[in-house]
Amino acid sequence: MTLIRTLINQDEFMGFYLLKELEVKQTNATPPKDYFDIVLCDASGQLPAKYWDVTPTDKETFFPMGLVKVQGIVQTYREKLQVKINRIRKATPEDGVSLTDFIRSAPIRPVDLIYTIKQAMSSIVDEEIRTIVAFCVTKVEEKLMHYPAAKTHHHAYYAGLAYHIVRMLEIGEFICKQRPFLNADFIKAGIILHDIAKPEEMIAQMGIVSDYSVQGKLLGHISMASNWITEAAIQCGIDLQSDRVLGLQHLVLSHHNLGEWGSPVQPQTAEAVALHHIDSLDAKLQMVEDALETIPETEQWTPSIRGLENKPIYRLKL
């Protein structure tokens, strides 16, 4: 099977892929005709695709998160690769393909990621901070095994959220050694808690987000996590006005830094400043890594990356 990341302009190919997204749209012709606006996906990457002249039967046959066999050709549209699908059918049991073969996942086993997170949590010295973190993690522990960190922005794959947390913990450990004035307990807690409500904010299957929950749309993961910290303090008899509780809430509420990025307040503790930059560094480097990994090795420019001011990344020749 031809991997998506190896496809280049004018390639004719055939293989099995996942319909990550599928939407019925209409052309501008008179009369308008239905077509499928699709995102084809495999473990190596994804590409937009079009399937023209859709029939009523097609609309009852193909749905998002379905496996299909596709014959198509790669074309360039507005300087980006796009697939024109010539033939498509649903995968059958006889084809011997499985959904897990076509999803991208973190490069570390989910069970090992969760173990690392729990080890970091248990190493928090302050009992009240550790208790609050454990309370919040327990709420989403099962989903943390497989949920992505975002729909498209960064770590948007199976177990991506846990992988993001673990990578941040590695950066945080280094920062605390380099800057010993930082409180390591708050750094660890902030890293674990900053996106802990993401699994309740998003609706995902096999690491692919299909929509946002009602809570996610109305409250968002930042507000939800702050509420969980309050809930934990109340249930565990911890003073809501203590610097421990306020410090943890501030870490969560400020980690996006700016209001237009979702933060109601800006970082105003040393640990909050550190957390914002740890989060940003890991997210942005992952965007670059993902972009480079999901283009053909012969390509030197990635597509524009939204999280990097819509700039593409150039692969240096070495």
Side-chain angles (χ1 to χ4, degrees):
M1 188 184 77
T2 305
L3 294 176
I4 282 178
R5 72 165 297 190
T6 65
L7 293 172
I8 60 175
N9 189 38
Q10 296 305 308
D11 271 355
E12 295 186 33
F13 69 97
M14 181 166 59
F16 292 95
Y17 303 95
L18 174 68
L19 292 177
K20 183 178 180 181
E21 298 176 22
L22 184 150
E23 185 177 357
V24 180
K25 294 185 177 180
Q26 290 189 322
T27 66
N28 294 323
T30 304
K33 295 183 178 180
D34 290 338
Y35 71 93
F36 283 157
D37 191 20
I38 288 170
V39 175
L40 289 177
C41 169
D42 65 15
S44 75
Q46 63 184 43
L47 272 179
K50 297 288 190 291
Y51 183 54
W52 306 101
D53 299 324
V54 167
T55 67
T57 301
D58 290 331
K59 288 187 281 186
E60 297 177 358
T61 301
F62 300 103
F63 299 95
M65 296 301 293
L67 294 178
V68 293
K69 187 174 185 180
V70 165
Q71 181 185 52
I73 182 170
V74 182
Q75 301 174 333
T76 300
Y77 177 70
R78 294 181 178 176
E79 301 182 354
K80 294 184 179 180
L81 295 181
Q82 176 178 281
V83 172
K84 177 187 176 185
I85 298 175
N86 296 321
R87 297 175 65 190
I88 184 172
R89 71 163 173 83
K90 291 180 68 173
T92 65
E94 291 74 24
D95 292 321
V97 293
S98 170
L99 182 63
T100 55
D101 299 330
F102 296 87
I103 60 169
R104 189 164 180 227
S105 61
I108 300 173
R109 295 189 311 161
V111 64
D112 294 330
L113 294 171
I114 299 302
Y115 175 80
T116 300
I117 292 169
K118 286 188 172 181
Q119 285 293 102
M121 185 170 64
S122 66
S123 72
I124 294 173
V125 177
D126 187 281
E127 184 178 356
E128 291 188 346
I129 293 177
R130 187 173 66 249
T131 298
I132 291 171
V133 173
F135 178 94
C136 296
V137 169
T138 300
K139 280 182 169 287
V140 293
E141 184 172 340
E142 183 179 344
K143 290 184 176 180
L144 198 58
M145 286 283 289
H146 58 88
Y147 255 64
K151 185 175 182 180
T152 56
H153 206 43
H154 65 89
H155 299 85
Y157 43 74
Y158 191 88
L161 176 55
Y163 183 56
H164 177 43
I165 292 172
V166 167
R167 284 302 196 198
M168 286 179 64
L169 286 168
E170 293 170 351
I171 298 171
E173 183 179 9
F174 169 78
I175 293 293
C176 286
K177 287 179 180 178
Q178 190 190 61
R179 295 286 189 270
F181 78 93
L182 293 169
N183 184 294
D185 282 352
F186 272 124
I187 295 294
K188 293 173 189 175
I191 289 170
I192 296 171
L193 295 180
H194 82 289
D195 280 347
I196 197 66
K198 283 276 185 85
E200 297 301 315
E201 178 183 52
M202 304 179 294
I203 300 170
Q205 179 184 358
M206 300 300 291
I208 297 174
V209 177
S210 59
D211 200 355
Y212 290 87
S213 67
V214 174
Q215 279 189 309
K217 291 174 181 176
L218 297 182
L219 301 178
H221 72 280
I222 291 177
S223 298
M224 291 164 65
S226 179
N227 290 341
W228 291 359
I229 292 169
T230 301
E231 182 185 351
I234 292 171
Q235 290 204 15
C236 300
I238 300 170
D239 181 7
L240 289 175
Q241 301 302 315
S242 71
D243 276 359
R244 291 174 176 84
V245 175
L246 293 175
L248 291 176
Q249 288 177 317
H250 182 67
L251 284 165
V252 168
L253 292 170
S254 67
H255 79 270
H256 280 184
N257 186 41
L258 298 176
E260 54 264 39
W261 296 346
S263 278
V265 292
Q266 288 186 277
Q268 294 176 76
T269 67
E271 291 73 22
V273 172
L275 176 64
H276 164 65
H277 288 288
I278 292 169
D279 182 30
S280 179
L281 176 62
D282 183 60
K284 289 182 177 180
L285 285 179
Q286 194 65 49
M287 293 176 207
V288 174
E289 184 177 348
D290 290 346
L292 289 170
E293 284 188 349
T294 52
I295 61 171
E297 294 181 0
T298 55
E299 295 286 331
Q300 287 187 275
W301 284 102
T302 71
S304 298
I305 301 174
R306 185 168 63 90
L308 296 176
E309 291 75 47
N310 285 318
K311 299 294 183 185
I313 294 296
Y314 180 74
R315 192 201 308 267
L316 292 170
K317 299 177 184 177
L318 299 175

